[in-house]
Amino acid sequence: MLGEYKIEEARVKEVEARGAWVETVCGDPDSTEGCASCGSEGCGSAGNRKRTQSKVFVRGDGTSGLSQGQRLRIQRFIPNEALAAGIVFGIPIICAVAALMVVYQLAPAKAESPFGAIVALVCLVGGFGVVAAAERLWERAHPAKILETGETADSKS
């Protein structure tokens, strides 16, 4: 399974021209109650008082009317952690090993020299660049969406 779409509560942290940065929260972010009140398993907050999960960028025209501190309900894609880790670390390592194999085939004497190490390092870094580009493409294909907006922090008082 690649992952799942998850509906989460969030609070607006910053509004920009092209979208808004929001932080997903577990339950009421102003409360100091423990996670037992939430009933959510595996959210990763580990009982922190703040219980902020992650920072997400929401793109779109619907973000222009948002204000800092406003509560939202968003839907976003959460990738499978094992698959994501395999991609993030696997692609760069495969690139580095493939580069060493090419160097070994084309110039065996240089494979165990600093030249081979430099080629492997450059391909390792290039592999992380490929992962970053793939992540940006994935986020554009599966953007976070605002399902509903709620009250602002100012309207509570």
Side-chain angles (χ1 to χ4, degrees):
M1 182 160 93
L2 292 176
E4 64 181 337
Y5 281 96
K6 189 173 182 183
I7 296 174
E8 299 176 299
E9 298 293 323
R11 181 165 280 179
V12 177
K13 287 296 178 185
E14 184 180 343
V15 180
E16 297 178 359
R18 57 188 177 96
W21 285 101
V22 301
E23 281 187 339
T24 60
V25 293
C26 178
D28 184 4
D30 298 325
S31 171
T32 57
E33 293 179 13
C35 287
S37 64
C38 172
S40 174
E41 292 185 26
C43 71
S45 64
N48 294 330
R49 288 174 62 123
K50 187 177 177 190
R51 296 193 312 270
T52 299
Q53 291 183 354
S54 58
K55 197 170 181 181
V56 179
F57 189 75
V58 180
R59 288 176 166 59
D61 298 330
T63 59
S64 60
L66 297 177
S67 60
Q68 188 171 359
Q70 187 171 6
R71 304 263 327 229
L72 304 171
R73 181 167 291 196
I74 64 170
Q75 177 185 20
R76 68 184 183 126
F77 185 80
I78 307 292
N80 179 314
E81 290 178 8
L83 179 63
I87 291 171
V88 167
F89 297 110
I91 289 176
I93 289 173
I94 289 170
C95 288
V97 170
L100 280 176
M101 291 173 64
V102 168
V103 168
Y104 187 74
Q105 290 297 317
L106 297 178
K110 292 185 177 182
E112 294 181 14
S113 68
F115 174 77
I118 290 170
V119 168
L121 183 63
V122 166
C123 288
L124 184 72
V125 171
F128 281 114
V130 169
V131 169
E135 180 185 16
R136 293 193 80 188
L137 290 173
W138 184 263
E139 286 178 359
R140 287 184 182 167
H142 300 279
K145 297 175 186 166
I146 298 174
L147 300 178
E148 62 184 67
T149 58
E151 61 187 27
T152 63
D154 298 337
S155 65
K156 271 189 169 180
S157 9

